[in-house]
Amino acid sequence: LIMNQKQLDLVEAHRYYVGETTMDVLNTITKKQEPLRLILFNDLLIAATVQGNDVLKHTHVFQLVDTTVTDNDDVNFSINSPAKSITVFALSQEKKQQWMKLLANTIESSKENQKSRNLV
């Protein structure tokens, strides 16, 4: 269940689940790393915090057609959109590379799919 001030409707005819993982994000207020759940679909990425018993609160929804991924250093990378940018920290360099590749490929596919939908 994903909730914020309003419920996020994930059901779309073209949308499908790609994968998910938990990484850390730096809380800008407390300056501490906190877990962040990344849930990847073919057209969007949801960044969510865990709020108790399997309840997720989405902090941001990235539309993949407007999203880029930037490599920062050993285990962190940035996810950028016009509305929001976050830096996430993976548990290992291998996991970072795996997720950067998955995100880049999914972003590229999303952009290609949007182009083909616009042609119709």
Side-chain angles (χ1 to χ4, degrees), residues 9-20 39-46 62 64 99 102-103 105-114 117:
D9 186 13
L10 296 176
V11 179
E12 297 283 341
H14 69 278
R15 182 170 295 140
Y16 59 88
Y17 173 84
V18 175
E20 64 187 278
I39 306 164
L40 182 61
F41 292 88
N42 62 309
D43 63 335
L44 54 86
L45 173 68
I46 300 169
F62 292 88
L64 293 186
W99 266 85
L102 180 61
L103 282 167
N105 290 342
T106 307
I107 289 167
E108 183 62 34
S109 294
S110 181
K111 289 178 181 181
E112 292 294 325
N113 289 338
Q114 185 186 39
R117 281 195 300 268

Side-chain angles (χ1 to χ4, degrees), residues 5 7 9 11 21 25 39 46 50 58-60 72-75 77 79 82-83 91 98 100-101 107 114 119-120:
Q5 286 78 14
Q7 195 130 357
D9 186 13
V11 179
T21 192
V25 65
I39 306 164
I46 300 169
V50 178
H58 73 276
T59 57
H60 191 71
N72 294 333
D73 69 20
D74 286 347
V75 294
F77 62 95
I79 302 167
L91 295 176
Q98 174 189 6
M100 283 189 64
K101 183 177 180 180
I107 289 167
Q114 185 186 39
L119 295 175
V120 175

Side-chain angles (χ1 to χ4, degrees), residues 2-112:
I2 299 174
M3 298 175 62
N4 204 343
Q5 286 78 14
K6 60 183 179 181
Q7 195 130 357
L8 179 62
D9 186 13
L10 296 176
V11 179
E12 297 283 341
H14 69 278
R15 182 170 295 140
Y16 59 88
Y17 173 84
V18 175
E20 64 187 278
T21 192
T22 300
M23 293 193 182
D24 284 343
V25 65
L26 186 64
N27 182 315
T28 55
I29 297 168
T30 65
K31 304 295 184 203
K32 294 181 180 177
Q33 288 185 17
E34 298 176 350
L36 186 72
R37 194 77 183 157
L38 298 175
I39 306 164
L40 182 61
F41 292 88
N42 62 309
D43 63 335
L44 54 86
L45 173 68
I46 300 169
T49 56
V50 178
Q51 303 285 304
N53 296 334
D54 297 328
V55 175
L56 298 175
K57 178 179 178 184
H58 73 276
T59 57
H60 191 71
V61 177
F62 292 88
Q63 299 295 327
L64 293 186
V65 295
D66 298 324
T67 301
T68 60
V69 178
T70 307
D71 192 352
N72 294 333
D73 69 20
D74 286 347
V75 294
N76 78 62
F77 62 95
S78 296
I79 302 167
N80 312 293
S81 75
K84 176 96 172 166
S85 292
I86 59 172
T87 299
V88 293
F89 298 81
L91 295 176
S92 67
Q93 194 170 30
E94 181 181 346
K95 186 170 183 178
K96 171 194 153 186
Q97 292 301 328
Q98 174 189 6
W99 266 85
M100 283 189 64
K101 183 177 180 180
L102 180 61
L103 282 167
N105 290 342
T106 307
I107 289 167
E108 183 62 34
S109 294
S110 181
K111 289 178 181 181
E112 292 294 325

